[in-house]
Amino acid sequence: MLDAKIPSGPLAEKWTSYKGHCKLVNPANKRSLEIIVIGTGLAGASAAASLGELGYKVKSFCFQDSPRRAHSIAAQGGINAAKNYQNDGDSVYRLFYDTIKGGDYRSREGNVYRLAEVSANIIDQCVAQGVPFAREYGGMLSNRSFGGVQVQRTFYAAGQTGQQLLIGAYQALERQVALGNVEMYARHEMLDLVKIDGKVRGIIARNLMTGKLERYFGHAVVLCSGGYGNVFYLSTNAMHSNVTAAWKAHKHGAYFANPCFTQIHPTCIPVTGDHQSKLTLMSESLRNDGRIWVPKSKDDTRKGNQIPEEERDYYLERRYPAFGNLVPRDVASRAAKERCDAGFGVGTSKQAVFLDFAAAIKRYGKKEAGKHKLPLDNEEEIIRLGKEVIKEKYGNLFDMYEKITGENPYQVPMRIYPAVHYTMGGLWVDYELMTNVQGLYALGEANYSDHGANRLGASALMQGLADGYFVIPYTIGNYLADEIRNAPIPTSHPAFEEAEKQVSDRIETLMNIKGNTSVESFHKKLGKIMWDKCGMARNAQGLQEAILEIRALREEFWKDLKIPGSITEFNPELDKAGRVADFMELGELMCLDALMRSESCGGHFREESQTSEGEALRNDAEFMFVAAWEYENGREWRMHKEVLEYEEVKPTQRSYK
Amino acid sequence: MEHYTMNLKLKIWRQANRDAKGAFRNYEVSGISSEMSFLEMIDVLNEKLIENGDDPVAFDHDCREGICGMCSMYINGRPHGPWEGTTTCQLHMRAFHDGDTIVIEPWRANSFPVIKDLVVDRSAFDRIIQAGGYISVNTGNAVDGNAIPIPKDKADASFAAAACIGCGACVAACKNSSAMLFLSAKVTHLALLPQGIPEHDSRVKDMVERMDKEGFGACSNTTACESVCPKEIKMTNIAYLNKEYLLATLNNK
């Protein structure tokens, strides 16, 4: 039975009560306790910096050339916080409730409430660090709306919120490096965990510049290695985002929870051809002002701006009048797929819908003209003024769109289509963010805990920073307080030796396949299977086929892979081969999880389980649990259930109509 | 937008490691679509090289959406290629024509040693930040976000400087390999904010000292950095830095 260790007592007092009772480590002892942090995104950088400030000896690892490059940097739209600066009725409870509902009642109340509770502190912390959030003329912080919510609680820095937050955390981290509290290992990749007597005691990392394997000891290891969306090959993730660190932990006994919960983001630039290497997101914030539509008639080849108003189907506004274009991501994505599958898609591939700003440009233009006492009948001038406003709000996104597509979105509607963006599943963790392996923690997107079956926009940044700045500094002390008598274990210990040998053997095996097919080709094939059969819509037959196809592909991989170069040099192809090998195993588990969960919930849509109107149909009687999978061998997993108990909210069928 | 395909000649700098002697090598790629990104064109080349048993071209890249700052190619004599305000990964092949020859080199600066081919070591930038590119506030020390009102124009100017992605194009473009645009963007970002004021004297002095130690050259105002910056960071930041530095030196206690 999985014990989530949720503190007893009323929901609103759990975290306060926990903080008041958890064990502490005195400053002198902190100096002799070592912590390894993997990854330097929002969760990792904030954790490493905060733990360093507390006085622990921290080692921080990232595979990029600098911790500032981690993929949190690409988050665009914003970060939620229950500040209620707009006086529009927001509160900790509402943020908690929206997150639980948005996650389609598949997340844990205790964790989510804590997330909402610390959200306000995050904004304060970031402002203190000098994060230049958008402001109003009076100097106060500005907010905007995001999907699935009826209050304005999203803080932002143009379309570069992730960048600004990450730079804040990165600078805090570099300050600790300068103070000697954190040792930074860039261009290093964790390739295994070391466990001694049931507890995590360190890692084996590979120096990506030299190819050398290195051993590092830690009293605890904190995984902040991000999500696994790249299992689909095409996603909005960075090219090197991967599951390897989390997967190695999984192989050492850490349960992998709800792996099939994947978020497909509704507004991404469509695929143009087989050469495509990644997909680019157009921030959800665009749905504040953009209207989504397709032509009313099939195969309409006219340009978007040449199709008259009455021949357009604003299908989100039609189907979901209460939330309109701001329905949650899973709902918006499925609705786009439905229209395209029915033949109403636009563009050459017909796999796209329009995101149109013409109405917003006019609306803003009129407002500006009014403000400056200009005539309201000069259409041209109004459009010019409106474009200025749109440019200030979304300029960088519009530029990016134009660079990629060659089309000017101020003049023609954007073409967008859903793409893999985020993974709600991840390593199972308890209330303290510890996995079921002693001393091993998972933070941010790497864990599964807060977003259930669907994450709301602007909540990933919130969760990463909540975990790193405000949760782990308390919970890790509760564990390390019992470690103060344990001196660091020398890395000459046989467990380190054995782990290094296994890593080294695997690398040798990969290099010695000497087949004919590149890593990239295998990754593309895996991605296609996953997208076709474990993507936006899933069914039992497809999932069963996918499992067999992945197994066959995996076999071929280990027979026919071709890696150029050698082990002891800078060799990105070799780095990637190890990651793709892990993705193949994960892909199978995702399909297995999706097959087991024969209900639809959040981003997981099983075609067998839908209402007569085509909406997702949840099955609380059978599936109100977290599926935590235990690795048995490369072929089999054992499922453990954590039953979700809702004390505060009453799960209902989610409706945004 | 009309799409087209093209055949191209590529002249790429190959260098096995930091100490090896590098050289240009010639390659050809065919059937390149104008819809591809520049890095997808390099992907095509690399797949071909792997197939033929050759060593693929090593290059840094990650987000491929112009924000992580990892990609760093010197294309036809210009960091990040011909488009203004664009990173290499956002450059698309419709910038080129059938039959073109494209010359691709790494960033060239003593402070950015080559690791392999087009990959360079930019850790000097991290060390400049370590010297003072932050506001010294521990987690948990913060007051309410709205307790520190910041005029919108200051906040916007600070944000514009903070948009730097640390790619190093400014250094690569500069004949002196100066890191002044990078450094000044950070100093400006922090010095414009009320939170950054208590440390602004020591910050600017420490960061400049570190930059000099890392071997970056001086600024001679050619503005090459500004013209290639993919985030369009302005030269006025350098003027601001010089003012800050001068005041800090005069305030020297």
Side-chain angles (χ1 to χ4, degrees):
Chain A
M1 201 39 203
L2 279 170
D3 180 10
K5 293 197 257 171
I6 309 283
S8 56
L11 186 62
E13 288 161 31
K14 285 181 194 295
W15 182 231
T16 309
S17 155
Y18 177 89
K19 287 191 291 182
H21 294 95
C22 64
K23 290 177 209 160
L24 299 173
V25 181
N26 88 17
N29 286 329
K30 283 198 185 102
R31 284 196 286 274
S32 54
L33 289 168
E34 301 183 22
I35 302 172
I36 288 172
V37 181
I38 305 296
T40 59
L42 287 180
S46 62
S50 302
L51 295 169
E53 288 162 8
L54 286 171
Y56 292 111
K57 281 172 82 173
V58 179
K59 292 188 186 79
S60 167
F61 293 80
C62 68
F63 62 72
Q64 298 90 343
D65 74 326
S66 160
R68 68 178 294 152
R69 316 268 188 226
H71 197 53
S72 303
I73 201 131
Q76 297 170 353
I79 176 166
N80 289 328
K83 278 287 198 186
N84 194 29
Y85 282 159
Q86 303 306 321
N87 196 29
D88 58 358
D90 200 8
S91 64
V92 168
Y93 187 85
R94 283 205 194 263
L95 175 52
F96 153 75
Y97 178 81
D98 287 343
T99 308
I100 289 271
K101 178 189 171 192
D104 219 357
Y105 306 97
R106 290 293 175 267
S107 49
R108 205 189 271 154
E109 278 189 338
N111 288 52
V112 176
Y113 195 88
R114 175 179 63 193
L115 174 68
E117 213 177 331
V118 303
S119 66
N121 303 76
I122 298 171
I123 301 305
D124 300 340
Q125 182 62 32
C126 295
V127 168
Q129 288 172 344
V131 170
F133 283 118
R135 295 199 175 244
E136 306 293 349
Y137 282 100
M140 297 298 154
L141 292 158
S142 178
N143 289 120
R144 63 177 161 210
S145 305
F146 249 67
V149 183
Q150 287 172 317
V151 295
Q152 287 194 308
R153 64 159 74 100
T154 305
F155 295 79
Y156 63 100
Q160 284 145 265
T161 318
Q163 179 200 25
Q164 294 307 316
L165 295 175
L166 183 64
I167 286 177
Y170 156 76
Q171 288 173 184
L173 172 63
E174 292 296 357
R175 174 170 162 250
Q176 292 308 308
V177 173
L179 292 170
N181 298 325
V182 177
E183 276 178 68
M184 187 67 229
Y185 297 87
R187 293 201 197 264
H188 276 67
E189 180 166 28
M190 172 187 141
L191 288 184
D192 209 1
L193 272 185
V194 179
K195 254 167 78 178
I196 300 174
D197 299 330
K199 287 180 177 172
V200 162
R201 290 301 185 199
I203 62 161
I204 304 296
R206 184 159 173 269
N207 179 332
L208 300 181
M209 285 175 291
T210 61
K212 278 209 185 82
L213 296 179
E214 299 168 2
R215 308 171 185 182
Y216 298 95
F217 167 82
H219 288 92
V221 173
V222 183
L223 294 181
C224 310
S225 47
Y228 48 87
N230 269 348
V231 68
F232 291 89
Y233 184 73
L234 286 181
S235 81
T236 65
N237 286 7
M239 297 301 286
H240 301 110
S241 298
N242 67 79
V243 76
T244 289
W247 199 252
K248 302 305 181 196
H250 178 52
K251 287 184 151 180
H252 275 284
Y255 297 168
F256 212 103
N258 298 338
C260 80
F261 286 170
T262 311
Q263 176 160 83
I264 317 276
H265 196 293
T267 54
C268 301
I269 300 178
V271 175
T272 56
D274 289 339
H275 57 262
Q276 194 95 26
S277 60
K278 80 149 270 160
L279 295 169
T280 302
L281 175 75
M282 287 285 107
S283 165
E284 176 162 316
S285 61
L286 293 174
R287 286 199 274 144
N288 271 309
D289 286 313
R291 296 178 73 193
I292 294 178
W293 61 277
V294 290
K296 276 187 181 160
S297 53
K298 288 186 187 182
D299 298 321
D300 194 330
T301 52
R302 286 175 292 177
K303 283 207 167 126
N305 52 357
Q306 288 162 359
I307 300 177
E309 192 64 24
E310 60 277 10
E311 291 176 42
R312 300 174 176 194
D313 175 17
Y314 294 93
Y315 58 87
L316 286 178
E317 296 169 29
R318 170 171 58 79
R319 284 178 68 178
Y320 308 99
F323 281 70
N325 292 297
L326 282 175
V327 291
R329 292 173 175 179
D330 54 337
V331 177
S333 290
R334 274 198 296 280
K337 180 179 189 312
E338 188 276 329
R339 284 291 80 189
C340 293
D341 289 353
F344 295 93
V346 299
T348 37
S349 66
K350 300 280 168 211
Q351 293 290 301
V353 300
F354 288 128
L355 175 61
D356 195 341
F357 293 87
I361 288 173
K362 266 195 196 154
R363 178 161 48 86
Y364 284 123
K366 278 192 184 147
K367 214 169 141 189
E368 284 296 295
K371 231 194 266 175
H372 298 105
K373 309 264 184 297
L374 297 170
L376 289 174
D377 52 0
N378 185 343
E379 181 101 345
E380 216 172 285
E381 182 64 5
I382 282 176
I383 287 177
R384 190 190 65 79
L385 290 168
K387 281 180 183 168
E388 296 272 305
V389 177
I390 292 288
K391 188 172 179 183
E392 191 183 330
K393 291 185 130 182
Y394 313 112
N396 68 320
L397 300 171
F398 276 52
D399 289 350
M400 187 147 74
Y401 184 85
E402 187 169 3
K403 274 172 201 161
I404 293 172
T405 63
E407 291 172 359
N408 180 350
Y410 293 99
Q411 280 160 12
V412 294
M414 287 184 178
R415 285 172 297 108
I416 51 153
Y417 196 70
V420 174
H421 181 54
Y422 184 90
T423 48
M424 283 74 69
L427 292 174
W428 184 88
V429 290
D430 61 19
Y431 188 73
E432 300 184 297
L433 303 183
M434 200 198 283
T435 65
N436 57 308
V437 175
Q438 287 289 294
L440 179 68
Y441 294 80
L443 275 55
E445 194 180 348
N447 75 29
Y448 88 101
S449 79
D450 293 352
H451 305 297
N454 173 56
R455 179 176 65 74
L456 289 181
S459 284
L461 304 186
M462 172 173 70
Q463 188 220 336
L465 291 180
D467 289 358
Y469 283 135
F470 296 108
V471 179
I472 194 74
Y474 290 91
T475 59
I476 206 166
N478 200 38
Y479 173 75
L480 291 177
D482 294 329
E483 287 288 322
I484 54 176
R485 283 176 196 83
N486 298 331
I489 297 169
T491 54
S492 52
H493 187 284
F496 278 93
E497 203 135 318
E498 172 61 23
E500 184 182 319
K501 188 174 178 306
Q502 283 195 10
V503 173
S504 155
D505 288 351
R506 187 172 192 253
I507 293 174
E508 297 266 352
T509 311
L510 282 167
M511 282 307 286
N512 287 331
I513 299 170
K514 297 190 195 300
N516 297 307
T517 309
S518 70
V519 187
E520 197 74 1
S521 324
F522 280 112
H523 195 183
K524 276 189 185 177
K525 283 182 196 161
L526 173 67
K528 188 164 170 16
I529 300 172
M530 294 300 292
W531 180 244
D532 289 347
K533 296 184 170 160
C534 194
M536 259 193 286
R538 301 151 175 189
N539 62 52
Q541 192 197 337
L543 290 164
Q544 279 156 349
E545 286 166 10
I547 290 173
L548 296 178
E549 287 170 31
I550 295 169
R551 283 185 186 160
L553 186 67
R554 215 169 115 186
E555 218 160 281
E556 202 189 322
F557 176 89
W558 287 97
K559 269 191 212 140
D560 194 37
L561 178 69
K562 180 175 188 176
I563 306 173
S566 69
I567 294 173
T568 53
E569 64 170 338
F570 187 85
N571 188 346
E573 288 295 314
L574 173 58
D575 309 343
K576 191 169 175 191
R579 295 170 194 158
V580 172
D582 294 335
F583 274 138
M584 295 219 184
E585 297 180 17
L586 166 75
E588 186 174 334
L589 177 62
M590 287 170 74
C591 294
L592 194 65
D593 186 46
L595 188 61
M596 175 283 296
R597 195 172 282 276
S598 60
E599 64 162 350
S600 294
C601 61
H604 169 65
F605 189 71
R606 279 289 298 266
E607 288 169 345
E608 301 93 329
S609 182
Q610 51 181 306
T611 66
S612 55
E613 291 169 306
E615 302 292 340
L617 185 63
R618 239 174 40 223
N619 179 351
D620 289 348
E622 282 181 69
F623 290 102
M624 195 171 268
F625 63 82
V626 173
W629 297 90
E630 180 184 0
Y631 184 89
E632 294 208 309
N633 52 52
R635 297 256 177 266
E636 279 163 78
W637 284 266
R638 179 186 305 181
M639 185 175 79
H640 301 263
K641 286 184 188 177
E642 181 199 337
V643 175
L644 292 166
E645 282 161 22
Y646 288 91
E647 294 171 7
E648 195 68 35
V649 299
K650 199 174 160 296
T652 50
Q653 195 65 35
R654 218 164 43 129
S655 169
Y656 293 92
K657 291 185 184 288
Chain B
M1 187 97 220
E2 287 303 309
H3 307 305
Y4 53 96
T5 58
M6 59 199 114
N7 300 328
L8 300 163
K9 295 191 174 70
L10 305 173
K11 209 172 156 184
I12 303 180
W13 184 261
R14 305 299 310 261
Q15 184 172 338
N17 55 55
R18 180 193 282 240
D19 304 317
K21 192 168 151 47
F24 280 108
R25 272 184 64 187
N26 296 320
Y27 302 94
E28 282 177 20
V29 282
S30 54
I32 298 297
S33 157
S34 60
E35 286 188 288
M36 283 185 191
S37 73
F38 193 83
L39 295 184
E40 283 165 353
M41 182 273 292
I42 302 284
D43 291 342
V44 170
L45 169 70
N46 275 347
E47 282 296 293
K48 202 175 91 174
L49 291 177
I50 293 169
E51 197 183 314
N52 296 341
D54 285 334
D55 192 24
V57 179
F59 62 100
D60 264 334
H61 64 111
D62 200 22
C63 79
R64 294 204 179 188
E65 47 188 282
I67 195 75
C68 76
M70 201 130 173
C71 61
S72 47
M73 293 184 188
Y74 209 86
I75 301 162
N76 285 346
R78 203 183 132 92
H80 294 303
W83 286 358
E84 277 184 21
T86 306
T87 55
T88 300
C89 66
Q90 293 291 76
L91 175 64
H92 277 64
M93 292 312 292
R94 61 178 185 279
F96 301 94
H97 302 284
D98 190 31
D100 280 358
T101 298
I102 307 176
V103 182
I104 308 170
E105 299 164 79
W107 286 175
R108 295 190 192 277
N110 285 339
S111 308
F112 290 164
V114 169
I115 292 173
K116 187 180 178 188
D117 300 338
L118 307 173
V119 177
V120 298
D121 177 355
R122 287 169 285 191
S123 54
F125 270 11
D126 289 330
R127 291 189 292 274
I128 291 177
I129 298 295
Q130 284 159 25
Y134 41 74
I135 287 168
S136 299
V137 53
N138 281 2
T139 305
N141 277 344
V143 296
D144 185 85
N146 265 350
I148 317 171
I150 301 174
K152 187 173 186 305
D153 55 341
K154 280 248 167 82
D156 288 351
S158 174
F159 169 76
C164 167
I165 56 174
C167 65
C170 47
V171 173
C174 178
K175 66 188 175 103
N176 306 327
S177 301
S178 170
M180 283 286 269
L181 194 65
F182 167 77
L183 171 64
S184 67
K186 187 46 60 195
V187 166
T188 306
H189 159 211
L190 297 174
L192 279 175
L193 301 172
Q195 304 92 302
I197 287 172
E199 294 172 284
H200 73 164
D201 280 357
S202 58
R203 174 184 309 120
V204 66
K205 282 194 290 190
D206 293 345
M207 289 180 79
V208 168
E209 188 186 324
R210 185 77 235 179
M211 175 181 69
D212 290 344
K213 268 194 196 145
E214 294 291 342
F216 293 102
C219 173
S220 48
N221 284 304
T222 66
T223 73
C225 53
E226 181 186 79
S227 71
V228 303
C229 174
K231 296 295 144 182
E232 300 179 320
I233 305 288
K234 299 287 173 237
M235 279 291 287
T236 45
N237 289 302
I238 296 183
Y240 193 86
L241 165 75
N242 286 335
K243 185 196 88 176
E244 284 284 306
Y245 188 77
L246 182 68
L247 289 176
T249 316
L250 293 173
N251 287 341
N252 205 359
K253 289 164 203 142

